[in-house]
Amino acid sequence: MKQNLDYKLIFALAAVGIIWGTTFLGIRVAVETIPPWFVTSIRQGLAGLIMMIILLFKKELKWIGWENLKHQLVPSILMIVVANGFTTVAEQTVPSGLASVISAMSPILIFLGSILFKLQKPSLKGLVGVIIGFSGVVFIFKDGLGSFLDADYRIGMMFMGFAITAWAAGTIYTKIHGNKSKNIVLNLFYQFTMASCIQIVLAFIFSPTIDVSLWSATSIFAALYLSIFGSVIAFFSYNYALKHVTPVQVSILAYINTIIAVFFGWLILDEKITIDFIIATILIILGVFIINYKKKEKLPEIENK
């Protein structure tokens, strides 16, 4: 019998791959006039509000208990406050393209972490897929790899290093504990709300004097886009996907994110797509295929007696 395609899973993976590819550009535009911690607090605060409205409409808004709250607090801090927040701070000095290539290193950390916590068995295939995919990302930026040694980027890269490490840890934690609560929307409501509260405090600490009149309409629109698409839709899709596939299979979408980021750079910023980009795309898709490819299991033959 053929297995029915899980269209919800396909949509979730596509949403993660495409939407988060656009958020690097969105963040870069948002922080042009809005301080980064205000961008993140607005993004997550609005996302939490949207989740609350959905829960109220479905009559599912409720207290989740201290034990589950703890399970939501950990990914909230790791994935939203640290990973998302530090990426936003980093993009004040690090170009969005460079931020995306650094983020594409997260599948390697998730692959190693998944093996460490026995979420999956070590496999040469998985390692080869991750390395080939990442080599494609590096190939895109091979002409700009000198940026990694540029003093102007060092602080930003340090933030990106913390961000991808926190993201990997949060992904693994979510995979281990995510099934303890089936309601993804309710979980994300608590995650976004807690993260927003922490980030608004950080916003006033690092930007005590603010002038909202300096915030451009473009930056505000970018922050709203990050909230609705980058947080509500993409985080929901990411958490849904984690319930159905391995962390490495979901994290490999970081490579697709980079292709999307480069594409929008071409579309909006008139950046050229070269033969290097085409070669890199082939490498990235090959890496994704290797990690996700599974041989069809043969049905046991029934002997005629």
Side-chain angles (χ1 to χ4, degrees):
M1 289 180 64
K2 292 183 178 179
Q3 289 184 336
N4 293 326
L5 288 174
D6 186 343
Y7 291 104
K8 289 182 180 179
L9 178 59
I10 293 172
F11 175 81
L13 292 172
V16 172
I18 295 171
I19 293 173
W20 274 343
T22 66
T23 55
F24 290 99
L25 181 63
I27 290 171
R28 186 69 174 171
V29 172
V31 297
E32 284 179 352
T33 60
I34 305 175
W37 287 113
F38 277 105
V39 171
T40 58
S41 61
I42 292 170
R43 173 179 176 177
Q44 314 313 341
L46 182 57
L49 181 61
I50 293 171
M51 291 299 188
M52 184 180 72
I53 293 171
I54 294 172
L55 290 166
L56 287 171
F57 180 77
K58 297 173 69 176
K59 298 180 180 179
E60 294 178 353
L61 183 61
K62 61 182 179 180
W63 169 242
I64 56 174
W66 291 108
E67 184 66 20
N68 192 19
L69 185 70
K70 180 189 71 174
H71 290 313
Q72 303 314 316
L73 179 61
V74 174
S76 176
I77 292 175
L78 289 174
M79 302 179 77
I80 304 178
V81 176
V82 178
N84 181 260
F86 281 18
T87 299
T88 306
V89 172
E91 286 205 45
Q92 283 188 304
T93 55
V94 175
S96 59
L98 188 56
S100 69
V101 72
I102 296 172
S103 292
M105 296 172 67
S106 62
I108 296 177
L109 298 179
I110 292 173
F111 176 74
L112 297 174
S114 295
I115 293 172
L116 180 65
F117 287 94
K118 299 180 180 179
L119 291 176
Q120 65 181 62
K121 295 179 180 178
S123 71
L124 180 61
K125 177 177 72 73
L127 182 60
V128 169
V130 169
I131 291 174
I132 290 177
F134 181 67
S135 68
V137 176
V138 172
F139 202 86
I140 292 175
F141 294 96
K142 66 182 179 66
D143 293 330
L145 289 179
S147 297
F148 284 95
L149 301 177
D150 193 320
D152 292 338
Y153 297 131
R154 285 177 185 170
I155 294 176
M157 289 193 305
M158 180 182 70
F159 277 115
M160 288 302 304
F162 285 129
I164 63 171
T165 303
W167 185 264
T171 296
I172 292 169
Y173 184 91
T174 300
K175 183 64 178 180
I176 294 172
H177 298 283
N179 291 327
K180 293 181 179 178
S181 177
K182 302 292 184 182
N183 195 328
I184 298 176
V185 176
L186 186 62
N187 292 345
L188 287 176
F189 162 71
Y190 280 96
Q191 288 183 28
F192 288 141
T193 302
M194 289 186 290
S196 180
C197 290
I198 295 171
Q199 289 169 334
I200 195 66
V201 172
L202 292 172
F204 281 107
I205 290 174
F206 291 102
S207 305
T209 56
I210 59 166
D211 187 353
V212 179
S213 64
L214 297 177
W215 296 4
S216 70
T218 306
S219 291
I220 293 172
F221 176 78
L224 294 176
Y225 173 82
L226 291 170
S227 178
I228 297 169
F229 289 90
S231 288
V232 174
I233 297 175
F235 266 94
F236 178 87
S237 300
Y238 190 78
N239 279 267
Y240 179 87
L242 276 179
K243 289 180 177 289
H244 295 82
V245 296
T246 68
V248 173
Q249 288 173 326
V250 180
S251 69
I252 203 73
L253 291 170
Y255 299 145
I256 306 300
N257 295 162
T258 303
I259 293 179
I260 299 296
V262 172
F263 170 74
F264 275 93
W266 165 79
L267 184 66
I268 297 173
L269 303 177
D270 295 324
E271 296 176 355
K272 293 181 180 179
I273 291 182
T274 63
I275 188 67
D276 288 351
F277 176 80
I278 297 172
I279 294 172
T281 302
I282 294 171
L283 286 172
I284 291 169
I285 293 173
L286 179 61
V288 172
F289 175 78
I290 289 173
I291 283 191
N292 287 278
Y293 177 75
K294 291 182 180 178
K295 291 183 179 178
K296 292 182 179 178
E297 295 182 359
K298 292 182 179 180
L299 294 174
E301 295 182 0
I302 300 174
E303 293 183 3
N304 294 320
K305 291 186 178 179

